[in-house]
Amino acid sequence: MKTIKNQRLYVGMMAVALMTVTVLATSVSHTEFKPGEIWTDTNGVPINAHGGGILYYNKVYYWYVEIKTGKTRLPESNRSWGGTRVETVGVSCYSSQDLYNWKYEGNVLPALQDDPNHELYISKVLERPKVLYNRATKQFVMWMHIDSQDYALAHAGVATSDSPKGPFRYVGSFRPDGAMSRDMTVFMDEDGKAYLFHASEDNATMHISLLTDDYLKPAGRFVRVFEGRSMEAPAVFKHQGRYYLIASGCTGWAPNAARSAVAESIWGPWKELGNPCRGPDEEVTFRGQSTYIFAVADKPGTFILMADRWNQKDLSDSRYIWLPVTFTDNGFEVHWQASWRLEN
Ligand code: DGJ
């Protein structure tokens, strides 16, 4: 009896050792971006990082993301529009200093398995997490889309942490300025003021809402933009004093043509500039959907568009498209490249 137990223990230990060796053997150092291809982390494990955003803090990039894993299913409530789902697991964080190689830092805001009434319960929606660092309060503030499984709740959620690596403490969710909120992003301006951009009014019209100085809630001033244009997946950046936006149309997980816009003031007027994508599949955002645009540190004028290539039938196999932004006389473009590097 004892011998069989020992044998099992030995076989188990060998299996763990073999798995470790396999993982170590497959971990490679990346030196370029390859949009749409499987991207492994520093452990050699495929990166699982959807709808995410980047925070640059103390010379480190942090990538906060939706985890998409497990079986993809289509709840009855979402059947009419193909709103497939996987169970919510939480928000992962990855860190990197070179943007090519990412270390998994763990699940910094885990979903809850035991409380069906909680907003972070596994059957509910937690999407598009974005984190800001508040210099005054020294807090890391996460904003995210919180929803019921059928997307009827339409809330923005907030969580905070003292460390970029979490854990984050869930504060709660609400409708900003009393308005519906689904796809969203946050943008911090050079003066430290931060704004929530969110698809509102049944996704028909976007709202831009100033946040309080601690970034924890709306300050009460907001503007309605792109009225009736049905835009979601907003990503915002600023270059040479101008504000730029990229967003998608509203077609569920299916890709569509990206929209772009420019403004001299964050409060508008925002002028639409059309589809900025150039190259194969430009009419469907390279088969992706925008999630974030960020400035590369120490490379003035260098911005990267992050997009999700959703796999509606197997959401866990959704991929990432990272491409550089190029500026034109009137606005910006994003050109497809199968692989690319940041210039030295
Ligand atoms: C499109 C949104 O941009 C995604 O974040 C997600 O909410 C899907 N719709 C759900 O179908």
Side-chain angles (χ1 to χ4, degrees):
M1 196 64 186
K2 205 170 174 194
T3 325
I4 292 175
K5 241 188 186 170
N6 284 345
Q7 267 178 4
R8 280 204 190 123
L9 189 67
Y10 175 74
V11 171
M13 281 165 59
M14 286 303 284
V16 170
L18 195 68
M19 272 158 58
T20 312
V21 169
T22 312
V23 164
L24 288 178
T26 50
S27 91
V28 285
S29 176
H30 302 291
T31 52
E32 55 186 2
F33 300 105
K34 292 184 178 173
E37 304 222 345
I38 287 179
W39 194 357
T40 49
D41 67 15
T42 51
N43 287 322
V45 176
I47 287 175
N48 193 319
H50 313 276
I54 299 281
L55 171 75
Y56 186 66
Y57 174 77
N58 270 356
K59 302 208 173 299
V60 177
Y61 296 94
Y62 294 92
W63 186 9
Y64 300 93
V65 297
E66 293 168 36
I67 305 161
K68 294 253 183 270
T69 186
K71 195 172 160 34
T72 300
R73 62 193 174 82
L74 180 57
E76 198 49 46
S77 58
N78 301 358
R79 196 163 283 280
S80 61
W81 55 280
T84 53
R85 309 257 317 117
V86 289
E87 286 200 336
T88 294
V89 183
V91 177
S92 280
C93 173
Y94 290 84
S95 66
S96 174
Q97 280 178 295
D98 66 6
L99 293 171
Y100 305 112
N101 297 286
W102 291 90
K103 178 177 174 226
Y104 179 62
E105 299 284 1
N107 186 342
V108 296
L109 182 66
L112 301 178
Q113 303 232 8
D114 302 326
D115 184 357
N117 294 320
H118 199 283
E119 292 178 344
L120 298 185
Y121 184 59
I122 49 176
S123 72
K124 300 188 181 174
V125 170
L126 191 176
E127 291 179 344
R128 299 185 177 271
K130 309 282 181 271
V131 174
L132 296 169
Y133 176 62
N134 189 295
R135 286 185 212 122
T137 63
K138 298 192 171 23
Q139 277 202 314
F140 297 84
V141 183
M142 181 186 294
W143 281 76
M144 68 209 102
H145 172 192
I146 290 288
D147 226 317
S148 44
Q149 175 168 268
D150 60 1
Y151 290 83
L153 187 71
H155 276 196
V158 179
T160 59
S161 175
D162 298 329
S163 156
K165 296 181 188 177
F168 280 78
R169 187 181 60 87
Y170 189 62
V171 178
S173 82
F174 45 82
R175 288 191 168 182
D177 310 298
M180 292 171 96
S181 182
R182 294 204 179 95
D183 278 10
M184 42 62 66
T185 194
V186 285
F187 170 76
M188 190 182 81
D189 211 338
E190 287 147 315
D191 60 3
K193 295 238 177 276
Y195 303 82
L196 174 71
F197 284 64
H198 60 108
S200 193
E201 304 180 28
D202 271 322
N203 288 356
T205 296
M206 195 168 288
H207 286 198
I208 304 172
S209 177
L210 174 69
L211 301 183
T212 49
D213 287 346
D214 58 12
Y215 303 165
L216 295 179
K217 48 186 184 295
R221 181 177 179 197
F222 73 98
V223 68
R224 302 171 66 239
V225 290
F226 312 117
E227 201 178 329
R229 292 283 293 139
S230 295
M231 285 156 73
E232 59 181 8
V236 181
F237 63 107
K238 188 178 188 182
H239 179 56
Q240 293 182 344
R242 287 190 167 145
Y243 300 86
Y244 294 94
L245 171 137
I246 185 168
S248 72
C250 292
T251 52
W253 297 116
N256 53 55
R259 326 262 181 91
S260 65
V262 63
E264 302 291 332
S265 156
I266 200 143
W267 298 113
W270 284 83
K271 184 180 161 217
E272 280 201 53
L273 298 171
N275 180 358
C277 298
R278 301 286 181 273
D281 291 321
E282 64 185 24
E283 284 310 315
V284 283
T285 318
F286 317 119
R287 293 185 282 131
Q289 185 187 31
S290 44
T291 181
Y292 202 69
I293 294 188
F294 66 95
V296 178
D298 304 324
K299 290 190 188 300
T302 304
F303 293 84
I304 296 179
L305 166 69
M306 300 161 60
D308 294 291
R309 185 175 280 174
W310 301 114
N311 181 341
Q312 176 165 6
K313 292 200 172 131
D314 179 4
L315 287 165
S316 69
D317 189 33
S318 302
R319 306 279 178 85
Y320 322 104
I321 300 170
W322 286 30
L323 289 168
V325 168
T326 49
F327 290 94
T328 61
D329 288 347
N330 307 318
F332 70 96
E333 293 176 348
V334 180
H335 291 248
W336 173 258
Q337 296 180 61
S339 66
W340 64 283
R341 286 185 52 75
L342 287 162
E343 276 158 30
N344 288 323

